[in-house]
Amino acid sequence: MATTMATPLSGPIQALPPVQMRAGGGLASFLRKVWAVAAKDLRAELRGREVFSSMTVFSVLAVLIFGMAFDLRVPEAKMVAPGVLWVSILFAGVLGLNRSFGAEMDRGTLPALLLAPMDRSAIYFGKVIANFVFTFGTALVILVATFFVYDVDLLQPLIFAGVLLGTLGYVAVGTIFAALSASARARESLLPILLLPVMVPVFMAGVALTAVVLDGGGLADVTNWLGILIGFDLIFLIVAYLLFDMILEEV
Amino acid sequence: MSTSASARPNRWTPMDIAQLVLGVLAVGAAVATMWAALVYARPATNLAGDEQLAQRIFYVHMGTIMGALAGFIVSFASSIVYLITRKLDWDRLCQAAVEVGLIFGMGTVVTGMFWAKPTWNTYWTWDPRLTTATITVLVYVAYLLFRNGIDNRQTRARFGSIYAILAFSSVPLTFFSARWFRSIHPVVFGNENPDAQGGFDIGSTMGTTLGIAMIGFIIIFSALLVLRFRQLRNEDELNELREELA
Amino acid sequence: MTLSTAKQTLISVQGVSKRFGRKRVLTGVDLNVEQGSVTTLLGANGAGKSTLMRIISGLAKPDRGDVVLGGVSLRKAGHELRRYIGLVTHAPLLYDNLSATENLAFYARLYDMEDAAPRIDAVLQAVDLWSRRKDPVRTFSRGMVQRLAIGRAILHDPPVLLLDEPDTGLDPASAELLADLIRTLGAANRAVLLTTHNLERARTWADSVSLLADGTIAFCEPAASFSEQSLRRLVIRVDRDAQDYATEDDMAPDLVGEQVAG
């Protein structure tokens, strides 16, 4: 299809090389564009440092403040550490999710993504990847901070698996809600209100899984929680994929 | 429909008739439910005192659950139909169903709490059904706040529908995780299973009363749904006219 | 899907209507732009020029009617048709934190361009931003941003170019560069549809001039004969909206100036 377009320009910009486009689409092309969107967000973050830094600073603050709040009344840090971990992830995550489409909206760049010859779910998955990197990175910071501040052995493979799956489900829902709320009035305060009640299964499964592992439970004791997290991830990635195109059909 | 009604004010549209019939039925249903629950139903034989008296709230409790459930199922279904047909009436139906469903949902939580106090000796417990009901109410409050934040009518309908579908998808997962969560959560009152305490055997008059209450509340729900739906339709029409004049 | 290279109508707007609420913005717009020609679209602010541009580019959907690009209906086509469209809008569609090269490289990937580096370099030279290519866009002046936005639109060499006020914020030299570019694109068999508030540019940059008023194309004639006569008709035609013009600061000087001259 590209061959018909390769007419070289003439005149002052004659030097422009003809455009060669990869023919056809297919999965490989789709994945390349998903990665292009994700890489663009990650690179912009490397240059601007607007999102990740505030997420991590907020999360460390949250862990410390929870520590102070519980210090006097809770006999064992182990009892509150799972809750602190997951509440901090959810709250810090909102900061990044708000910027995900908020930045495109503020700078008016969303039409550029919509003009591209690709299924618009590529925008969704690209943003999911970028948001996942930010949120999971923040979650790791929270894990380490909680480990030191509460002196609780959170750095265990099963907890990592839980945080990984929980974060994926969180950004799967969070990215589509961010796209929904981006054009609404007061989007910054709206997003957490939309997001948190829907995230209750992830929150409960995450807290329960972490608590069970801290109490010495093994894989067999947390399979139902891992099941909830995997089920949540799958359901929302699929439903979001089906619905996302309709969000951006007219902006 | 409403335009033809305004053009010929004396003519009854099918919607007017449905509204009137449902309204009359709803009043009848309310009276019948109250009579059945307070007079007709025999007291629960295995309960005594406050518990026996409080048990009668069960009929209203179950009734409101039916109303809330109907509201959220209607909102889910009409959201899907809206996204396919793009007819604003389906969005109005969704909004009406959420609003009416929310009233019943809050009724469910409040009657549940009133019932829980004499039975379980606490207003609040992390019972999975109570937790799920409360979270669901919050989800739909968020839906209404969200709609409010979007100015363009079509966008509001589209985004509202998408949110309603996504929100509804999380409700079963919330229930299951809340149910399993209890197994590790410290139990507030003696028994593991909340059904075991304050439970009762359903006698024949109680079964009939429950049926009356559930059907009665569905009728009340439908009457309110139709009223609110028509109100929203008039509101949209009024806004459009106002826009045109401005 | 292949766009034929034979001389043909590349942009065909067919009976497009669009309303926001009860406000009708476009009521049955018909407009054709042929391969190798440049058409200017005039109209007061709020006449629906940008809305029409958005509809042709697929960013907005018409309530009625259709847009046919190179024989392919926008309604029926999948996302592949967007490959053939280049758009300059009021927003520059550039990422502030990325450099000029990075911005173009990002779009090259979205448009499946193979081995895009030489093309990107050439475009940067064509819009005279070669020396600043490594600087983040946020450090650019308004004119530079606008030039890069134009470079972005022609990067994938689209046969259909939609330029919504591309001369905004351009200094005279840059405007001359843009004029050259538009002429070149026309000569290279592209179809260019542009809007501007400058009547002189509307006439000299394009092959034909159209006026969008009252939601339809009120007027369409070759740029060569678009002169004082047609301008008078134009002014009379839009006189009913005279109050609109009086309140539009950026529109008024051009139109009033010409009106007095005519």
Side-chain angles (χ1 to χ4, degrees):
Chain A
M1 93 181 47
T3 49
T4 53
M5 298 184 50
T7 334
L9 299 174
S10 55
I13 51 168
Q14 199 167 25
L16 290 190
V19 169
Q20 277 163 14
M21 293 185 184
R22 291 188 179 89
L27 188 63
S29 156
F30 180 77
L31 292 177
R32 263 198 307 275
K33 289 165 187 177
V34 167
W35 178 244
V37 173
K40 185 268 294 171
D41 272 10
L42 294 173
R43 178 168 288 142
E45 176 57 23
L46 273 180
R47 298 289 149 73
R49 291 194 189 86
E50 286 162 6
V51 181
F52 189 65
S53 47
S54 53
M55 286 172 84
T56 48
V57 170
F58 172 86
S59 60
V60 171
L61 277 172
V63 170
L64 285 172
I65 287 170
F66 277 127
M68 282 180 239
F70 292 132
D71 186 49
L72 294 178
R73 306 274 295 177
V74 178
E76 246 188 304
K78 208 170 89 170
M79 291 168 75
V80 289
V84 170
L85 170 71
W86 285 90
V87 169
S88 304
I89 292 175
L90 288 191
F91 286 1
V94 175
L95 295 180
L97 291 169
N98 251 329
R99 293 313 297 158
S100 182
F101 283 91
E104 305 267 2
M105 222 65 192
D106 292 346
R107 289 164 192 167
T109 43
L110 200 53
L113 300 177
L114 306 182
L115 284 168
M118 61 187 185
D119 194 280
R120 282 168 185 170
S121 58
I123 304 171
Y124 171 72
F125 287 114
K127 292 272 179 191
V128 164
I129 291 174
N131 288 331
F132 179 77
V133 171
F134 297 146
T135 313
F136 189 65
T138 308
L140 293 181
V141 171
I142 297 171
L143 270 174
V144 173
T146 317
F147 173 79
F148 283 115
V149 174
Y150 293 73
D151 193 21
V152 172
D153 189 17
L154 282 170
L155 309 180
Q156 300 188 38
L158 276 176
I159 294 180
F160 278 117
V163 170
L164 191 89
L165 290 170
T167 309
L168 181 61
Y170 184 40
V171 297
V173 178
T175 303
I176 194 165
F177 282 7
L180 281 175
S181 63
S183 56
R185 266 180 278 119
R187 60 162 184 251
E188 311 270 318
S189 54
L190 201 52
L191 183 59
I193 296 172
L194 295 180
L195 198 47
L196 295 180
V198 176
M199 294 315 300
V200 165
V202 166
F203 180 73
M204 282 199 281
V207 171
L209 179 143
T210 312
V212 169
V213 173
L214 281 184
D215 287 343
L219 181 63
D221 304 307
V222 294
T223 42
N224 54 345
W225 300 120
L226 289 173
I228 288 258
L229 290 174
I230 291 169
F232 189 96
D233 293 0
L234 285 178
I235 288 175
F236 280 98
L237 282 172
I238 291 168
V239 176
Y241 167 71
L242 294 175
L243 294 178
F244 193 75
D245 209 38
M246 289 189 225
I247 297 180
L248 298 180
E249 69 186 28
E250 195 151 339
V251 288
Chain B
M1 237 165 257
S2 43
T3 44
S4 64
S6 59
R8 286 168 296 177
N10 295 326
R11 190 66 76 81
W12 285 68
T13 66
M15 199 68 128
D16 290 330
I17 295 165
Q19 183 182 322
L20 183 74
V21 171
L22 274 171
V24 170
L25 278 178
V27 172
V31 171
T33 305
M34 283 301 110
W35 170 78
L38 298 176
V39 181
Y40 171 71
R42 298 275 186 82
T45 49
N46 64 333
L47 301 175
D50 279 353
E51 268 191 70
Q52 194 179 50
L53 201 62
Q55 179 270 331
R56 289 180 187 273
I57 209 171
F58 167 72
Y59 304 112
V60 178
H61 186 61
M62 287 307 290
T64 55
I65 287 175
M66 296 312 290
L69 219 56
F72 302 143
I73 289 170
V74 168
S75 78
F76 178 67
S78 54
S79 290
I80 294 175
V81 179
Y82 172 77
L83 288 178
I84 295 166
T85 63
R86 303 300 169 103
K87 296 265 184 287
L88 278 179
D89 267 351
W90 292 104
D91 177 60
R92 293 175 191 129
L93 186 64
C94 177
Q95 188 189 345
V98 167
E99 288 182 4
V100 178
L102 261 182
I103 296 171
F104 286 98
M106 288 172 186
T108 303
V109 174
V110 169
T111 52
M113 283 165 72
F114 285 171
W115 191 19
K117 185 62 183 172
T119 316
W120 300 338
N121 202 27
T122 175
Y123 287 114
W124 185 259
T125 155
W126 293 105
D127 167 68
R129 281 162 300 182
L130 182 53
T131 309
T132 310
T134 312
I135 298 292
T136 309
V137 164
L138 287 174
V139 163
Y140 286 101
V141 169
Y143 166 86
L144 292 179
L145 284 174
F146 177 45
R147 287 185 66 97
N148 223 16
I150 304 168
D151 292 325
N152 182 294
R153 186 66 188 88
Q154 259 71 30
T155 312
R156 192 192 305 153
R158 190 153 45 93
F159 284 16
S161 300
I162 292 171
Y163 182 72
I165 291 171
L166 286 162
F168 190 83
S169 315
S170 81
V171 173
L173 285 168
T174 305
F175 180 75
F176 282 116
S177 50
R179 186 179 216 168
W180 289 335
F181 202 67
R182 275 190 55 73
S183 60
I184 62 148
H185 193 85
V187 182
V188 179
F189 41 91
N191 206 310
E192 264 292 320
N193 183 359
D195 286 328
Q197 200 165 347
F200 50 89
D201 309 315
I202 289 207
S204 67
T205 57
M206 294 162 82
T208 314
T209 304
L210 187 58
I212 293 172
M214 283 161 82
I215 294 167
F217 268 87
I218 289 286
I219 293 171
I220 297 170
F221 167 81
S222 312
L224 290 173
L225 184 71
V226 168
L227 273 176
R228 185 62 185 140
F229 170 74
R230 301 193 73 192
Q231 212 175 19
L232 289 172
R233 198 190 239 179
N234 290 339
E235 194 180 303
D236 277 340
E237 206 168 329
L238 198 66
N239 281 338
E240 278 187 25
L241 288 172
R242 197 174 284 153
E243 222 172 90
E244 211 169 353
L245 290 173
Chain C
M1 183 178 59
T2 304
L3 300 188
S4 160
T5 43
K7 203 79 162 171
Q8 58 168 333
T9 305
L10 268 190
I11 306 174
S12 176
V13 180
Q14 301 171 352
V16 161
S17 297
K18 179 78 180 174
R19 44 183 268 187
F20 295 114
R22 287 211 173 173
K23 191 179 170 223
R24 288 187 174 78
V25 180
L26 303 174
T27 52
V29 172
D30 293 294
L31 181 69
N32 290 312
V33 183
E34 287 191 355
Q35 198 172 25
S37 77
V38 180
T39 297
T40 313
L41 190 61
L42 293 173
N45 280 5
K49 299 191 299 289
S50 294
T51 304
L52 184 59
M53 290 293 210
R54 288 166 53 81
I55 287 173
I56 299 172
S57 67
L59 283 178
K61 283 182 178 173
D63 297 331
R64 253 174 297 148
D66 197 2
V67 175
V68 178
L69 298 178
V72 183
S73 156
L74 204 59
R75 267 187 195 281
K76 291 173 197 140
H79 53 73
E80 282 298 313
L81 189 59
R82 297 206 282 265
R83 193 184 295 281
Y84 301 98
I85 303 166
L87 174 71
V88 171
T89 64
H90 300 277
L93 309 185
L94 299 165
Y95 293 92
D96 288 349
N97 285 333
L98 301 183
S99 71
T101 312
E102 284 170 338
N103 265 294
L104 294 185
F106 170 56
Y107 290 111
R109 290 167 85 181
L110 292 189
Y111 284 89
D112 288 305
M113 287 168 61
E114 215 154 0
D115 194 20
R119 171 87 188 174
I120 290 171
D121 290 352
V123 166
L124 283 171
Q125 275 160 349
V127 296
D128 196 20
L129 284 171
W130 178 250
S131 58
R132 298 289 303 272
R133 66 188 182 281
K134 284 177 183 159
D135 295 338
V137 172
R138 83 177 106 80
T139 63
F140 284 15
S141 71
R142 191 166 171 214
M144 292 164 72
V145 168
Q146 188 65 18
R147 294 209 303 268
L148 187 58
I150 293 162
R152 192 203 74 84
I154 62 169
L155 176 70
H156 56 294
D157 195 14
V160 171
L161 264 153
L162 308 168
L163 312 176
D164 196 2
E165 295 179 23
D167 52 342
T168 324
L170 289 187
D171 55 87
S174 299
E176 204 41 55
L177 189 141
L178 176 63
D180 275 351
L181 187 66
I182 289 171
R183 253 174 244 125
T184 314
L185 291 165
N189 269 339
R190 305 293 178 263
V192 183
L193 180 63
L194 76 116
T195 68
T196 176
H197 278 165
N198 185 314
L199 286 182
E200 186 54 33
R201 285 173 188 163
R203 181 165 47 197
T204 53
W205 288 7
D207 305 313
S208 60
V209 179
S210 295
L211 172 72
L212 188 62
D214 292 340
T216 53
I217 298 294
F219 165 103
C220 184
E221 70 177 57
S225 61
F226 175 78
S227 60
E228 290 168 11
Q229 270 79 17
S230 44
L231 204 62
R232 240 179 250 129
R233 274 169 49 204
L234 182 150
V235 171
I236 291 163
R237 184 74 178 80
V238 297
D239 220 23
R240 279 176 290 153
D241 303 326
Q243 275 182 316
D244 285 359
Y245 280 87
T247 55
E248 306 293 357
D249 289 342
D250 47 348
M251 183 74 187
D254 296 328
L255 264 189
V256 171
E258 297 279 353
Q259 192 178 6
V260 171

